[in-house]
Amino acid sequence: DQQVKQNSPSLSVQEGRISILNCDYTNSMFDYFLWYKKYPAEGPTFLISISSIKDKNEDGRFTVFLNKSAKHLSLHIVPSQPGDSAVYFCAASEARGSGGSNYKLTFGKGTLLTVNP
Amino acid sequence: KAGVTQTPRYLIKTRGQQVTLSCSPISGHRSVSWYQQTPGQGLQFLFEYFSETQRNKGNFPGRFSGRQFSNSRSEMNVSTLELGDSALYLCASSLSWATRRGYTFGSGTRLTVV
């Protein structure tokens, strides 16, 4: 049972245009969401995150939108650049445990973004 | 500041063998997590250690085990390797096990089981 789903395995966009990567989740206990970017032969790198108390978070060219009622989040990259070509992972965490929390991350399968010059 | 270091980078093992992978976290980071990445399943959580104690465990069989040393370095072990264990194994570290901003990942160990 996949709790975080990225239904588009790949996305191709022209340089300068907007890239929109989507992510759906099923676990209503998730309260923190993250996007990671991964280049081949490297580990994922943290990109941007959002808490469930917000519906938008912006960092430069990257904006994440959260729609809790739809259990959907999206990552917008504007403008897209060839260097943005990578696999993007959506991840979610929930507070659990006693005396604090164990924030393991549940990842989607990733979307390969290709930005064409 | 050095990043998360995983050794070896590549490994080829035969079915039935066992393997040990190593992870050195960023200096000062005390939490280490392990993930398995496969093309079909994405990144799946294996376990997390903090102060030499396993804090959280994913849904993997008992053939997958790990440990953390007093210097925060961590190892994971897979016994009786199966072909399906072929994957990229990623280690990630964070300052504490209660981090909310995610982790810093290493470049991974690519394990191929033949």
Side-chain angles (χ1 to χ4, degrees):
Chain A
D1 176 34
Q2 200 176 3
Q3 299 185 63
V4 177
K5 299 179 184 178
Q6 293 178 257
N7 292 320
S8 298
S10 64
L11 175 68
S12 184
V13 172
Q14 283 300 118
E15 180 179 5
R17 306 295 285 268
I18 183 172
S19 294
I20 300 176
L21 296 99
N22 294 303
C23 178
D24 297 296
Y25 61 96
T26 57
N27 187 344
S28 58
M29 298 301 292
F30 286 147
D31 64 347
Y32 198 78
F33 304 88
L34 309 91
W35 284 93
Y36 280 82
K37 179 169 74 172
K38 185 180 184 300
Y39 294 116
E42 295 182 14
T45 55
F46 171 78
L47 200 55
I48 192 170
S49 63
I50 188 167
S51 164
S52 60
I53 63 174
K54 296 186 175 182
D55 55 20
K56 176 183 174 181
N57 188 26
E58 193 172 350
D59 184 1
R61 297 186 298 114
F62 303 92
T63 303
V64 56
F65 295 91
L66 175 63
N67 181 334
K68 282 189 297 182
S69 61
K71 294 191 176 67
H72 176 82
L73 64 155
S74 61
L75 174 68
H76 292 210
I77 306 173
V78 185
S80 300
Q81 301 172 353
D84 296 329
S85 297
V87 177
Y88 288 78
F89 289 98
C90 170
S93 73
E94 59 175 295
R96 59 166 57 188
S98 58
S101 298
N102 298 331
Y103 296 122
K104 78 168 190 176
L105 298 179
T106 301
F107 284 85
K109 294 185 179 181
T111 296
L112 173 63
L113 173 65
T114 302
V115 181
N116 301 302
Chain B
K1 177 163 146 176
V4 178
T5 303
Q6 292 188 245
T7 56
R9 287 296 308 274
Y10 301 93
L11 206 49
I12 299 176
K13 287 286 189 178
T14 303
R15 191 171 47 183
Q17 286 186 312
Q18 75 159 11
V19 66
T20 299
L21 312 181
S22 178
C23 172
S24 294
I26 290 173
S27 178
H29 283 194
R30 298 173 63 191
S31 173
V32 173
S33 297
W34 289 88
Y35 287 81
Q36 180 196 64
Q37 184 190 4
T38 57
Q41 297 298 322
L43 274 82
Q44 292 189 290
F45 175 76
L46 281 155
F47 25 67
E48 179 175 17
Y49 288 88
F50 179 79
S51 292
E52 303 176 64
T53 302
Q54 187 179 88
R55 294 285 183 172
N56 209 345
K57 190 176 189 303
N59 296 323
F60 277 81
R63 299 186 297 107
F64 292 81
S65 63
R67 59 178 176 169
Q68 186 180 34
F69 302 95
S70 58
N71 62 358
S72 294
R73 190 177 71 86
S74 177
E75 289 181 347
M76 68 162 280
N77 182 277
V78 188
S79 62
T80 320
L81 284 165
E82 300 177 359
L83 297 179
D85 297 334
S86 295
L88 178 67
Y89 289 88
L90 292 160
C91 163
S93 75
S94 63
L95 277 171
S96 96
W97 59 284
T99 182
R100 288 293 264 174
R101 282 182 58 84
Y103 317 112
T104 300
F105 281 87
S107 296
T109 294
R110 171 72 63 184
L111 171 65
T112 302
V113 182
V114 297

